[in-house]
C-alpha cells in the first residue's frame, strides 16, 4: 500500500485552488486576445488585465497605476533593486542595505550590485530573527540608495516592523523596498501602513499560478527598466501580459484576503499543536520560529546538536521516504546542501543549522497531518540520532 503523502511545504509553493483554475480557464481560449490590440479581442483582454490590477491594488491600498505585473517574486525583487540602481536620479547614492535573512532574490541581487560598484551592507537580526530598527539606523548613510527588508521571512516566519524602519530609511532620503511574497494574503498588509516605496508579491504562495507576481511602485518613484521592449505596463515591464496568470493571481488574492482571518486562526491552532507535539515526540527539538510576531503557517525547528547529533540531509530524506514533504531551508537552497543563511544568522552552530526542518501549513493541512508528521519526525530522530559524548 502506498503511504499517504503529507505536504507541509506550503511556503515553497501551494497547489492551485480549484476556484483559481476556474477563473483562469476562459483566458486560455475564448478570451485570448493581446491586451495591447485595439480590436474587440484585445479590449476584452485589456478589461481582464485592468480589472485584475484594480483588485490587487485594492487589497494593498494602492492605486492601480502603482501595480506592475512581473513573472514572480524573484523578478519583482530584482526589478526593485536593479531598477533603483539604474534609475539614475541621484548618482551619488551608492549604498544598498538589506537584512541578513533576505530571500536569495534580494540577497544575491544586493551582491550583484556590489559587483557593479555599489556598497552592500547586511543588517544582522537578533537571536529570534528580528531586525532591530536601530541597526538599520546605524547602517543607512547619506548616500544610501535603497533599503530592502523582508516583511515576513520565508524560513522562520518573523514579521519585521516595517513602518518604524521605513521612517528611518526616509529620514536619509533613501528608497524602502519590502519583499512581501510570504506575508501577502496571510497577514494584513497595506502600502501606506508599512511605509514602503516598493513591494514584491507572488501568486504561487497563495494558491495562485506559478510565474506571475507584482511589484508595487509608489507614484513618483523612478525605477529603471529591467527589460527593454514594448510599452506594456506603462513602459515599466515590456512583454505581452499573461492574462490567464494575471486573472488567476487576482482571484487567488481575492480568496486569500476574504478567508485571511479565519484561516490565520486555524493555522495558528495547527502551529501550536505542532509545537506541542514536537516537544512531546522529538528528542532535542528547539524552535527557530518565535511564537509571536511571526506568520501563523510556518514552524521552523532544529535538533539541538548539543543534545542529539543527526545528519540533517538524511533527516529530510527519511521524512520524505515516510511521506512527509518538508524542507530544510528555502526551496532554492535545499538542493545545494548549503546550511540555511537564515538559521545561521540566528547564531545557531553549524550542526544544529544543518539539522533544521521547516514545517509550513496551508489550506489543506489537517490536525491528523500534524499528529502524523510529528510522530514520524520523532521516530526518525530516535532511530538515526546519537546522543553526543
Ligand atoms: C520571500 C520570498 N521572496 C521571493 C521568492 C521568489 O518568488 P518566485 O518564486 O515567485 O520567484 C520567494 C519564493 O520562494 C520567497 O519566499
Amino acid at each position: 500500500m502506498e503511504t499517504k503523502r503529507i505536504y507541509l511545504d506550503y511556503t515553497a509553493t501551494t497547489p492551485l485552488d480549484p476556484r483559481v483554475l476556474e477563473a483562469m480557464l476562459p483566458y486560455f481560449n475564448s478570451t485570448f486576445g493581446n491586451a495591447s490590440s485595439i480590436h474587440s479581442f484585445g479590449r476584452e483582454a485589456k478589461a481582464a488585465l485592468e480589472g485584475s490590477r484594480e483588485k490587487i491594488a485594492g487589497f494593498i491600498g494602492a492605486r492601480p497605476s502603482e501595480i506592475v505585473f512581473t513573472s514572480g517574486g524573484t523578478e519583482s525583487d530584482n526589478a526593485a533593486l536593479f531598477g533603483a540602481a539604474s534609475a539614475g536620479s541621484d548618482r551619488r547614492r551608492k549604498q544598498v542595505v538589506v537584512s541578513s535573512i533576505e530571500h536569495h532574490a534580494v540577497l544575491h541581487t544586493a551582491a550583484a550590485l556590489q559587483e557593479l560598484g555599489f556598497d552592500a551592507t547586511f543588517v544582522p537580526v537578533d537571536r529570534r530573527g528580528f531586525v532591530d530598527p536601530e541597526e538599520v539606523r546605524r547602517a543607512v548613510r547619506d548616500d544610501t540608495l535603497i533599503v530592502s527588508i523582508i516583511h515576513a521571512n520565508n524560513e522562520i516566519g518573523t514579521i519585521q516592523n516595517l513602518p518604524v524602519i521605513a521612517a528611518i530609511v526616509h529620514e536619509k532620503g533613501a528608497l524602502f523596498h519590502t519583499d512581501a511574497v510570504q506575508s501577502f494574503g496571510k497577514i494584513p498588509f497595506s502600502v501606506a501602513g508599512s511605509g514602503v516605496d516598493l513591494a514584491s508579491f507572488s501568486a504561487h504562495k497563495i494558491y495562485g499560478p506559478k510565474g506571475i507576481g507584482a511589484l508595487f511602485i509608489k507614484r513618483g518613484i523612478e525605477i529603471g527598466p529591467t527589460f527593454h521592449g514594448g510599452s506594456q505596463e506603462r513602459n515599466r515591464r515590456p512583454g505581452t501580459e499573461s492574462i490567464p496568470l494575471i486573472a488567476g493571481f487576482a482571484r487567488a488574492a481575492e480568496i486569500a484576503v476574504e478567508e485571511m482571518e479565519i484561516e490565520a486562526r486555524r493555522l495558528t491552532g495547527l502551529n501550536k499543536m505542532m509545537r506541542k507535539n514536537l516537544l512531546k515526540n522529538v528528542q532535542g527539538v528547539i524552535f527557530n520560529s518565535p511564537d509571536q510576531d511571526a506568520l501563523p503557517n510556518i514552524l521552523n525547528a532544529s535538533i539541538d546538536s548539543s543534545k542529539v547529533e543527526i545528519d540533517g540531509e538524511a533527516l529530510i530524506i527519511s521524512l520524505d521516504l515516510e511521506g512527509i514533504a518538508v524542507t530544510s531551508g528555502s526551496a532554492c537552497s535545499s538542493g545545494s546542501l548549503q546550511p540555511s543563511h537564515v538559521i545561521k544568522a540566528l547564531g545557531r552552530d553549524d550542526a544544529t543549522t544543518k539539522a533544521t526542518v521547516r514545517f509550513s501549513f496551508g489550506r489543506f493541512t489537517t490536525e491528523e497531518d500534524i499528529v502524523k508528521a510529528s510522530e514520524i519526525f520523532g521516530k526518525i530522530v530516535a532511530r538515526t540520532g546519537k546522543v553526543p559524548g
Side-chain angles (χ1 to χ4, degrees), residues 19-35 40-53 55 209 240-252 254:
R19 294 168 288 181
V20 173
L21 179 62
E22 199 186 327
M24 292 169 67
L25 286 175
Y27 301 106
F28 282 110
N29 41 37
S30 54
T31 311
F32 66 88
N34 184 325
S40 63
F41 292 82
R43 289 200 306 276
E44 278 170 16
K46 179 96 175 156
L49 170 64
E50 294 313 323
S52 300
R53 194 191 310 280
K55 268 190 195 166
T240 304
E241 294 94 342
S242 173
I243 311 298
L245 298 184
I246 289 170
F249 183 15
R251 182 70 182 117
E254 189 171 58

Side-chain angles (χ1 to χ4, degrees), residues 162-239:
L162 296 186
V164 171
I165 298 171
I168 292 167
V169 173
H170 288 150
E171 270 173 36
K172 289 286 183 191
L175 294 173
F176 186 40
H177 166 256
T178 194
D179 177 330
V181 165
Q182 292 292 346
S183 56
F184 179 56
K186 300 193 192 110
I187 54 168
F189 175 85
S190 80
V191 292
S194 54
V196 296
D197 302 301
L198 300 148
S200 301
F201 307 96
S202 179
H204 74 97
K205 310 292 186 180
I206 55 164
Y207 313 89
K210 292 167 182 60
I212 187 73
L215 178 65
F216 160 76
I217 307 175
K218 191 176 175 176
R219 186 154 77 176
I221 301 291
E222 200 197 329
I223 283 292
T226 314
F227 302 141
H228 300 271
S231 58
Q232 289 94 343
E233 299 294 292
R234 295 167 188 262
N235 296 310
R236 292 172 300 186
R237 206 284 191 175

Side-chain angles (χ1 to χ4, degrees), residues 244-373:
L245 298 184
I246 289 170
F249 183 15
R251 182 70 182 117
E254 189 171 58
I255 297 167
V257 169
E258 262 168 33
E259 298 180 354
M260 184 173 352
E261 232 182 283
I262 292 175
E263 184 64 351
R265 224 173 299 135
R266 196 183 73 85
L267 292 171
T268 302
L270 290 179
N271 199 322
K272 283 190 178 147
M273 189 178 173
M274 188 74 177
R275 257 178 207 265
K276 235 173 76 188
N277 284 14
L278 290 180
L279 283 173
K280 194 176 77 187
N281 293 325
V282 187
Q283 206 188 350
V285 75
I286 48 172
F287 298 114
N288 300 310
S289 299
D291 55 10
Q292 271 185 359
D293 298 322
L295 286 179
N297 65 318
I298 299 181
L299 181 60
N300 190 307
S302 295
I303 303 300
D304 183 347
S305 67
S306 68
K307 304 247 171 60
V308 177
E309 284 170 359
I310 195 160
D311 178 343
E313 228 194 301
L315 180 61
I316 301 289
I317 294 167
S318 304
L319 281 162
D320 183 40
L321 287 173
E322 302 242 14
I324 312 294
V326 289
T327 185
S328 57
S330 69
C332 326
S333 57
S334 59
S336 66
L337 312 181
Q338 292 296 319
S340 156
H341 66 283
V342 175
I343 307 303
K344 275 184 92 159
L346 304 179
R348 300 277 189 223
D349 62 79
D350 278 0
T352 305
T353 300
K354 282 184 188 157
T356 293
V357 176
R358 178 189 65 181
F359 296 95
S360 52
F361 322 113
R363 208 167 271 172
F364 307 103
T365 310
T366 63
E367 290 190 357
E368 197 192 333
D369 294 340
I370 300 291
V371 172
K372 186 111 188 270

Side-chain angles (χ1 to χ4, degrees), residues 11-13 70-77 101-106 150-155 179-183 186 200-205 209-214 330-332 358:
T11 309
T13 195
T70 65
S71 63
T74 302
E75 185 188 324
S76 297
D77 287 343
I101 61 162
E102 293 302 310
H103 188 273
H104 284 144
V106 167
I150 191 166
H151 186 204
N153 181 265
N154 50 301
E155 292 190 36
D179 177 330
V181 165
Q182 292 292 346
S183 56
K186 300 193 192 110
S200 301
F201 307 96
S202 179
H204 74 97
K205 310 292 186 180
K210 292 167 182 60
I212 187 73
S330 69
C332 326
R358 178 189 65 181

